[in-house]
PDB file of all heavy atoms in Angstrom:
ATOM      1  N   LEU Q 300      31.774   4.387  37.446  1.00  0.00           N
ATOM      2  CA  LEU Q 300      30.647   5.293  37.560  1.00  0.00           C
ATOM      3  C   LEU Q 300      30.349   5.741  39.058  1.00  0.00           C
ATOM      4  O   LEU Q 300      30.024   6.891  39.282  1.00  0.00           O
ATOM      5  CB  LEU Q 300      29.361   4.571  37.003  1.00  0.00           C
ATOM      6  CG  LEU Q 300      28.064   5.400  37.057  1.00  0.00           C
ATOM      7  CD1 LEU Q 300      28.142   6.697  36.171  1.00  0.00           C
ATOM      8  CD2 LEU Q 300      26.892   4.530  36.541  1.00  0.00           C
ATOM      9  N   GLU Q 301      30.594   4.778  39.947  1.00  0.00           N
ATOM     10  CA  GLU Q 301      30.357   5.070  41.353  1.00  0.00           C
ATOM     11  C   GLU Q 301      31.324   6.182  41.835  1.00  0.00           C
ATOM     12  O   GLU Q 301      30.972   7.054  42.554  1.00  0.00           O
ATOM     13  CB  GLU Q 301      30.474   3.799  42.211  1.00  0.00           C
ATOM     14  CG  GLU Q 301      29.297   2.823  42.024  1.00  0.00           C
ATOM     15  CD  GLU Q 301      29.341   2.098  40.673  1.00  0.00           C
ATOM     16  OE1 GLU Q 301      30.423   2.052  40.054  1.00  0.00           O
ATOM     17  OE2 GLU Q 301      28.314   1.560  40.248  1.00  0.00           O
ATOM     18  N   VAL Q 302      32.555   6.035  41.412  1.00  0.00           N
ATOM     19  CA  VAL Q 302      33.609   7.014  41.831  1.00  0.00           C
ATOM     20  C   VAL Q 302      33.323   8.365  41.237  1.00  0.00           C
ATOM     21  O   VAL Q 302      33.426   9.437  41.902  1.00  0.00           O
ATOM     22  CB  VAL Q 302      35.028   6.488  41.375  1.00  0.00           C
ATOM     23  CG1 VAL Q 302      36.026   7.631  41.516  1.00  0.00           C
ATOM     24  CG2 VAL Q 302      35.418   5.301  42.165  1.00  0.00           C
ATOM     25  N   LEU Q 303      32.862   8.438  39.957  1.00  0.00           N
ATOM     26  CA  LEU Q 303      32.539   9.703  39.336  1.00  0.00           C
ATOM     27  C   LEU Q 303      31.356  10.310  39.971  1.00  0.00           C
ATOM     28  O   LEU Q 303      31.344  11.532  40.202  1.00  0.00           O
ATOM     29  CB  LEU Q 303      32.297   9.473  37.853  1.00  0.00           C
ATOM     30  CG  LEU Q 303      33.473   9.071  36.966  1.00  0.00           C
ATOM     31  CD1 LEU Q 303      33.054   8.666  35.594  1.00  0.00           C
ATOM     32  CD2 LEU Q 303      34.550  10.099  36.890  1.00  0.00           C
ATOM     33  N   ALA Q 304      30.324   9.529  40.310  1.00  0.00           N
ATOM     34  CA  ALA Q 304      29.142  10.043  40.902  1.00  0.00           C
ATOM     35  C   ALA Q 304      29.443  10.705  42.282  1.00  0.00           C
ATOM     36  O   ALA Q 304      28.932  11.729  42.584  1.00  0.00           O
ATOM     37  CB  ALA Q 304      28.037   8.940  41.039  1.00  0.00           C
ATOM     38  N   GLU Q 305      30.294  10.014  43.013  1.00  0.00           N
ATOM     39  CA  GLU Q 305      30.666  10.497  44.334  1.00  0.00           C
ATOM     40  C   GLU Q 305      31.409  11.850  44.189  1.00  0.00           C
ATOM     41  O   GLU Q 305      31.163  12.817  45.003  1.00  0.00           O
ATOM     42  CB  GLU Q 305      31.562   9.474  45.112  1.00  0.00           C
ATOM     43  CG  GLU Q 305      31.911   9.931  46.526  1.00  0.00           C
ATOM     44  CD  GLU Q 305      32.720   8.946  47.206  1.00  0.00           C
ATOM     45  OE1 GLU Q 305      33.050   7.841  46.635  1.00  0.00           O
ATOM     46  OE2 GLU Q 305      33.097   9.165  48.369  1.00  0.00           O
ATOM     47  N   ALA Q 306      32.233  11.982  43.225  1.00  0.00           N
ATOM     48  CA  ALA Q 306      33.013  13.202  42.988  1.00  0.00           C
ATOM     49  C   ALA Q 306      32.131  14.355  42.708  1.00  0.00           C
ATOM     50  O   ALA Q 306      32.493  15.521  43.002  1.00  0.00           O
ATOM     51  CB  ALA Q 306      34.052  12.947  41.912  1.00  0.00           C
ATOM     52  N   VAL Q 307      31.010  14.170  42.061  1.00  0.00           N
ATOM     53  CA  VAL Q 307      30.148  15.294  41.688  1.00  0.00           C
ATOM     54  C   VAL Q 307      28.854  15.435  42.535  1.00  0.00           C
ATOM     55  O   VAL Q 307      27.994  16.218  42.276  1.00  0.00           O
ATOM     56  CB  VAL Q 307      29.707  15.180  40.176  1.00  0.00           C
ATOM     57  CG1 VAL Q 307      30.865  15.200  39.299  1.00  0.00           C
ATOM     58  CG2 VAL Q 307      28.852  13.974  39.951  1.00  0.00           C
ATOM     59  N   GLY Q 308      28.776  14.554  43.591  1.00  0.00           N
ATOM     60  CA  GLY Q 308      27.662  14.632  44.527  1.00  0.00           C
ATOM     61  C   GLY Q 308      26.372  14.186  43.976  1.00  0.00           C
ATOM     62  O   GLY Q 308      25.302  14.716  44.325  1.00  0.00           O
ATOM     63  N   ASP Q 309      26.376  13.148  43.087  1.00  0.00           N
ATOM     64  CA  ASP Q 309      25.168  12.575  42.501  1.00  0.00           C
ATOM     65  C   ASP Q 309      25.114  11.055  42.733  1.00  0.00           C
ATOM     66  O   ASP Q 309      26.141  10.513  43.161  1.00  0.00           O
ATOM     67  CB  ASP Q 309      25.164  12.889  40.991  1.00  0.00           C
ATOM     68  CG  ASP Q 309      23.724  12.885  40.393  1.00  0.00           C
ATOM     69  OD1 ASP Q 309      22.824  12.418  41.101  1.00  0.00           O
ATOM     70  OD2 ASP Q 309      23.617  13.249  39.229  1.00  0.00           O
ATOM     71  N   THR Q 310      24.053  10.424  42.393  1.00  0.00           N
ATOM     72  CA  THR Q 310      24.007   9.042  42.515  1.00  0.00           C
ATOM     73  C   THR Q 310      24.476   8.416  41.196  1.00  0.00           C
ATOM     74  O   THR Q 310      24.418   9.085  40.152  1.00  0.00           O
ATOM     75  CB  THR Q 310      22.551   8.512  42.736  1.00  0.00           C
ATOM     76  OG1 THR Q 310      21.702   8.898  41.575  1.00  0.00           O
ATOM     77  CG2 THR Q 310      21.971   9.120  43.985  1.00  0.00           C
ATOM     78  N   PRO Q 311      24.952   7.210  41.170  1.00  0.00           N
ATOM     79  CA  PRO Q 311      25.407   6.596  39.888  1.00  0.00           C
ATOM     80  C   PRO Q 311      24.274   6.687  38.876  1.00  0.00           C
ATOM     81  O   PRO Q 311      24.533   6.943  37.662  1.00  0.00           O
ATOM     82  CB  PRO Q 311      25.779   5.219  40.295  1.00  0.00           C
ATOM     83  CG  PRO Q 311      26.191   5.283  41.772  1.00  0.00           C
ATOM     84  CD  PRO Q 311      25.298   6.329  42.328  1.00  0.00           C
TER      85      PRO Q 311
END
Side-chain angles (χ1 to χ4, degrees):
L300 178 62
E301 289 73 20
V302 168
L303 293 172
E305 183 178 0
V307 301
D309 201 350
T310 65

